[in-house]
Amino acid sequence: MTEERLIISRKTNNRFFIMIAVGAVLLIAGIIFAAAGGGAEHGAEGGHEAAAAGHEAASWSKRLFVNLWMNNVYFTGIALIGTFFVAVQYVAYAGWSVLIKRIPEALSYYLPIGGVLMLLIYLFGSHDIFHWTHEYLYDVNDPRYDPIIAGKSGYLNTAFFLIRMVVYFALWIFFFMWLRRESINEDLYGGTAYYHKSIRISAMFLVVFGITSSTSAWDWVLSIDTHWFSTMFGWYVFASWWVSGLAAITLTVIILKQNGYLRMVNANHLHDLGKFVFAFSIFWTYIWFSQFMLIWYANIPEESIYYLERLGGNGGHYKWIFFTNLLINFVFPFLVLMTRDAKRQMIMLKLVTIAILVGHWLDFYLMMMPGTMREGAGIGLIEIGTALLFLGIFLLAFTKGLTKASLVPLNHPFVEESVHHHV
């Protein structure tokens, strides 16, 4: 097996820096407009209702921090799915995916950046993102005392929250680097010892992932709506991360192939990736529907409030996103990828994966904005600027990871099986 190295041209790198610069400019422009008047208008109209609900009126700083948090959670999830994908392939003794395994490996290069950003955003913007961080909620003598939130203080307190955050990232980065090191050593020295060791590492990681993917979803997303809870929420966030990660892997394979790399990857590998994307779009919808249907049918006020805020509440602000979310993330992939041929065609897969990546960004938007911004949310310069900023940073880390090793694992025991893979 011959080595295949990715070379990122200066032009491509510059594009990523331009993306970051454009994002920063749009973000700053959005903040200036919001501070000058846009944010004040939203604050005035949403202020009374927000105060009644025990939440602060939306300001430009709140909007900034919520956007930073949302994008970081979204991209951190995709980065984490890279290591999860690799671990699943090892534990399943999969051979088909060997030719593309360096792509999910490289996704996780964003994890250290995501960890640092998560910590900084929380330290500076926790009051803007999380209602439960306000001390007065726990003071019995304060008129704003909240017995429900006070009852959750054993789990939802800043010290324990930060400890959990550090532990999540420490574990994820540790396993990512361990698996990556074994993968590169296998290239250098050959033999099957690294492969068997990787299976054992992956088994350990999957146990850690099973716990931390749910608890991080509770911490970073669910606790925004502090009163509300759903036992399916960890699964829901995982499904959203997982299908976004699969879309990112598939899209990268296609782009690399179109640029003359991954020459041994063929329609059979694309077909398998297409099946993954198709199947897990349906899986995400299954989780979505199960959560929605049970809450809608039971019609218990403290449960249904979550969907009322997204459908009828907040001036109907989120209704269009609610339905667009379903159209982009379920209807579109389901109809387009239904046939065998569609899953083997680059153009079809490219369309669907881009749609899914945008669609699940909207999914996270819908999870976080109604509980923080209320009526003060929108998709404007701040949102687009923050998304571009994070996308640029993510792509820089990801492509740097891709260039650090051969795109094709050289001495993997199943590499020949992957080359001759046929479905």
Side-chain angles (χ1 to χ4, degrees):
M1 190 58 57
T2 53
E3 190 175 64
E4 191 178 341
R5 285 272 180 176
L6 173 68
I7 296 156
I8 297 289
S9 66
R10 180 167 286 185
K11 189 179 169 187
T12 306
N13 246 344
N14 286 345
R15 275 182 192 160
F16 299 151
F17 283 115
I18 289 166
M19 194 183 286
I20 293 168
V22 169
V25 168
L26 288 176
L27 181 57
I28 292 162
I31 290 168
I32 292 165
F33 284 130
E41 288 163 35
H42 284 313
E45 68 186 46
H48 182 68
E49 193 181 313
H55 287 260
E56 305 73 31
S59 62
W60 67 264
S61 60
K62 188 183 183 79
R63 190 166 173 178
L64 169 68
F65 281 120
V66 174
N67 270 290
L68 291 171
W69 187 260
M70 185 196 90
N71 281 283
N72 201 38
V73 168
Y74 174 70
F75 284 107
T76 297
I78 292 175
L80 177 61
I81 290 301
T83 301
F84 176 71
F85 183 91
V86 172
V88 167
Q89 304 305 309
Y90 273 123
V91 171
Y93 288 83
W96 72 272
S97 58
V98 173
L99 286 176
I100 61 147
K101 80 185 273 283
R102 288 284 151 84
I103 290 158
E105 277 180 16
L107 278 176
S108 294
Y109 272 88
Y110 178 78
L111 281 175
I113 301 167
V116 171
L117 288 174
M118 200 78 84
L119 200 59
L120 290 173
I121 298 163
Y122 180 80
L123 290 173
F124 288 102
S126 60
H127 287 342
D128 284 318
I129 306 163
F130 299 105
H131 182 53
W132 59 263
T133 55
H134 294 278
E135 288 77 19
Y136 57 75
L137 297 166
Y138 308 95
D139 181 2
V140 188
N141 301 314
D142 195 295
R144 295 168 296 182
Y145 171 71
D146 190 318
I148 296 171
I149 295 176
K152 298 183 182 188
S153 62
Y155 185 80
L156 286 181
N157 61 77
T158 294
F160 192 25
F161 186 93
L162 286 172
I163 290 165
R164 287 196 303 274
M165 187 193 288
V166 171
V167 169
Y168 299 152
F169 278 101
L171 285 168
W172 296 342
I173 293 164
F174 170 72
F175 278 104
F176 150 60
M177 291 176 82
W178 198 4
L179 274 171
R180 178 70 166 173
R181 192 167 63 244
E182 296 303 315
S183 180
I184 287 170
N185 283 342
E186 187 180 69
D187 273 10
L188 298 173
Y189 309 115
T192 57
Y194 298 107
Y195 175 73
H196 292 296
K197 190 177 176 185
S198 294
I199 292 170
R200 292 194 295 273
I201 298 166
S202 297
M204 288 187 281
F205 171 73
L206 290 177
V207 174
V208 168
F209 178 86
I211 299 162
T212 56
S213 63
S214 280
T215 53
S216 61
W218 302 340
D219 288 359
W220 301 342
V221 189
L222 182 60
S223 76
I224 285 171
D225 295 277
T226 319
H227 279 205
W228 185 78
F229 65 91
S230 162
T231 51
M232 295 181 69
F233 201 81
W235 274 108
Y236 182 75
V237 172
F238 161 71
S240 199
W241 272 346
W242 178 223
V243 77
S244 304
L246 289 169
I249 293 163
T250 309
L251 184 59
T252 309
V253 169
I254 293 166
I255 291 167
L256 287 172
K257 190 123 184 75
Q258 287 176 338
N259 284 284
Y261 295 98
L262 300 175
R263 286 182 293 276
M264 284 172 290
V265 170
N266 55 41
N268 297 294
H269 302 95
L270 291 175
H271 190 176
D272 273 358
L273 286 166
K275 282 189 283 190
F276 259 119
V277 171
F278 178 71
F280 284 101
S281 291
I282 296 169
F283 174 74
W284 171 83
T285 314
Y286 156 69
I287 301 286
W288 185 96
F289 180 75
S290 301
Q291 184 171 268
F292 177 77
M293 196 273 290
L294 290 170
I295 289 172
W296 171 79
Y297 190 73
N299 203 17
I300 300 166
E302 59 265 34
E303 287 182 356
S304 57
I305 182 72
Y306 185 81
Y307 288 105
L308 290 172
E309 283 182 347
R310 283 151 181 79
L311 275 167
N314 292 316
H317 213 74
Y318 300 96
K319 202 169 187 174
W320 72 271
I321 300 177
F322 187 86
F323 291 107
T324 305
N325 189 24
L326 279 175
L327 281 170
I328 299 180
N329 294 324
F330 170 60
V331 178
F332 184 65
F334 182 72
L335 295 177
V336 175
L337 291 183
M338 199 180 282
T339 64
R340 181 179 191 271
D341 282 350
K343 295 186 201 73
R344 298 170 77 89
Q345 288 172 3
M346 286 195 206
I347 184 68
M348 290 299 193
L349 285 171
K350 209 172 182 182
L351 276 172
V352 170
T353 50
I354 291 168
I356 283 173
L357 287 165
V358 173
H360 282 282
W361 182 90
L362 276 176
D363 189 24
F364 275 94
Y365 181 93
L366 197 59
M367 284 187 237
M368 296 193 194
M369 290 297 171
T372 51
M373 295 298 296
R374 307 280 151 183
E375 287 184 18
I379 294 179
L381 295 177
I382 292 179
E383 284 70 23
I384 295 162
T386 317
L388 282 174
L389 192 68
F390 273 88
L391 180 61
I393 295 166
F394 183 86
L395 289 173
L396 277 175
F398 176 37
T399 50
K400 194 170 193 297
L402 281 173
T403 59
K404 285 189 172 182
S406 169
L407 283 178
V408 178
L410 304 177
N411 295 312
H412 194 289
F414 291 168
V415 72
E416 284 301 321
E417 183 185 328
S418 190
V419 171
H420 299 106
H421 176 59
H422 182 74
V423 282

